[in-house]
Amino acid sequence: MTHTPNDQPGRGAGVTVAPVLAFAGIAVAVMQTLLVPVIKDLPQLLNTAPSNASWVVTSTLLSGAVATPIMGRLGDLHGKRRMLILSLTVMVVGTLISALSNTLLPMLVGRTLQGFALGALPLGIGLMRDTLPSERLDPAIGLMGSSMGVGGGLALPAASLVAQHLDWHVLFYGAAGLGTTAIVLTLLFVPETTVRAKGSFDLPGAVGLSAGLVMLLLPITKGSDWGWTSAATLGLFAGAVVTLVLWGLLELRRPAPLVDLRTTARPAVLFTNLASIMIGVSFFTISLVLPQLLQLPTSTGYGLGQSMVTAGLLVAPIGLTMLLTAPVYARLSAKYGPRTTLILGLLVIGIGYGAGQGLMSAAWQSLVVAVLVGAGLGLAYAAQPTLIMSAVPAEETGAANGINTLMRSIGTSVSSAVVGMVLANTSQTIGGVSVPTMRGFRFSFLIATVAVAIGVVLALFLPRADRASTARAGNEEETDLDRHGESARSVPAPSVLAPVGEHLSDRPGRGH
């Protein structure tokens, strides 16, 4: 670990650091649901074909997937605060370009730039680990871990209100305002960390990973349009497999890789990342199903006939509940560990989707489902960063959490493709318009339930908290000393760190 000359923050830093970084995460998350209320109108608004308009969403997804691990690694090397501000600045620039756009091409440029902000989440988590005192770390990480879901959930009703009563470009101006506020608050209240990874940026690794991710995610998001057995879809999937395998071999041979695959293969990291894909599937399914069910006309026999704004308000409790579960997570995790809390969160999500099979006939029932699923998502989202950080050295926090965020993005992409295909294939024509059926909604909830069940099984393979707490305790205590300029010894190299899955609270003086 190397250090910059910057002064380290005192223990009072946690008062402002956590809420400011969580606000930055929420501002970034707004980008994910910003256009949901106007997606069906985009071909008209941009004067283009529906197949072209879908790139407005796909471009953000692809750029976010590519940027997240790259920005995490750059943050580890050159300063997480610096890269966080850069990510937010690129997002604001992209948002303003979109706000001034009425045609497809500039809109795609703007939306692509917005996607780069997705790296703010792992950078924020890394900053918390590096700057916050021990006693404030768990609640802060719980808040930051759930901020993406909170922002996405709360943005939907706000975006619906704007889209229904104002010009749709106002959506982008509002988002730019949030991003600018996040930049100013970060500059004022978040100190730079002195924790640095050694080595240089792995450009070949970044190019290889970017190419592999684009070839993987592009057919997932466009497969329904192109055909799942088309040459383009199958060719890209095959190219993704070959590219990512070659990239992995390259990374294993590089002295300072973009992603330390040996660290990523540790059980605490591997199974957390695999479970994260399932959590991403479960999060996005409810975001796709409930708004459509609520807005379908009652003449269908099962639609709930709500306005766009009302539907958004009824879905908003997903984000609100995630926000409220952050302090609950801290207490549960301190007592039982993040592994148990993750499993509990997954079980609550499963209960929510199971109950949802019979709670689709009234608007208030949708509210119940949203609260249950939101509570489970809040616990599951908050547990993941702690599990990752318990298994990686401090100087790899940004890159490791970047990969974890990427896994959730892959989950949401899979959910979007699979649920979209299910709803399309089970739709019916009413009054000349194709609409989803109740059968499609219920099958979509079943898919989410199966994903949650797989997530629980994966989480059971996570190491228990007491396996290597002694080995990690020394490393974490040393990191705490480094934060305050008191370190007198070097941090062990990653190769000698045992695979661990213990909670960050499982060290002396943290309540055990």
Side-chain angles (χ1 to χ4, degrees), residues 263 266 391-396 471-472 475 491-500:
T263 299
R266 293 173 180 169
V392 302
E395 64 270 22
E396 294 181 19
R472 175 60 64 183
N475 185 38
V491 175
S495 59
V496 300
L497 291 173
V500 294

Side-chain angles (χ1 to χ4, degrees), residues 440-459:
F441 290 142
R442 288 204 168 102
F443 195 72
S444 298
F445 271 22
L446 179 62
I447 291 171
T449 307
V450 171
V452 168
I454 295 172
V456 170
V457 173
L458 292 168

Side-chain angles (χ1 to χ4, degrees), residues 111-128:
R111 290 290 290 169
T112 300
L113 293 176
Q114 286 171 48
F116 277 87
L118 199 58
L121 182 61
L123 291 168
I125 292 170
L127 278 166
M128 286 179 174

Side-chain angles (χ1 to χ4, degrees), residues 128 136 257 300-301 317 350 437:
M128 286 179 174
R136 290 184 179 143
T300 60
T437 62

Side-chain angles (χ1 to χ4, degrees), residues 44 50 54 68 86 103 106 133 135 198 200 234 307 313 339 371 399 410-411 421 472 481 499:
Q44 252 182 309
S54 65
T68 300
L86 176 61
T103 55
E135 65 273 10
K198 294 181 179 179
S200 58
L234 296 178
S307 69
L313 290 172
R339 174 183 180 272
V371 169
I410 290 175
M421 181 174 61
R472 175 60 64 183
L481 291 172

Side-chain angles (χ1 to χ4, degrees), residues 69-90:
I70 291 175
M71 295 305 293
R73 178 59 177 167
L74 287 173
D76 290 337
L77 288 168
H78 303 298
K80 300 178 183 73
R81 176 179 179 265
R82 184 179 300 166
M83 291 302 112
L84 173 61
I85 292 170
L86 176 61
S87 295
L88 292 171
T89 302
V90 172

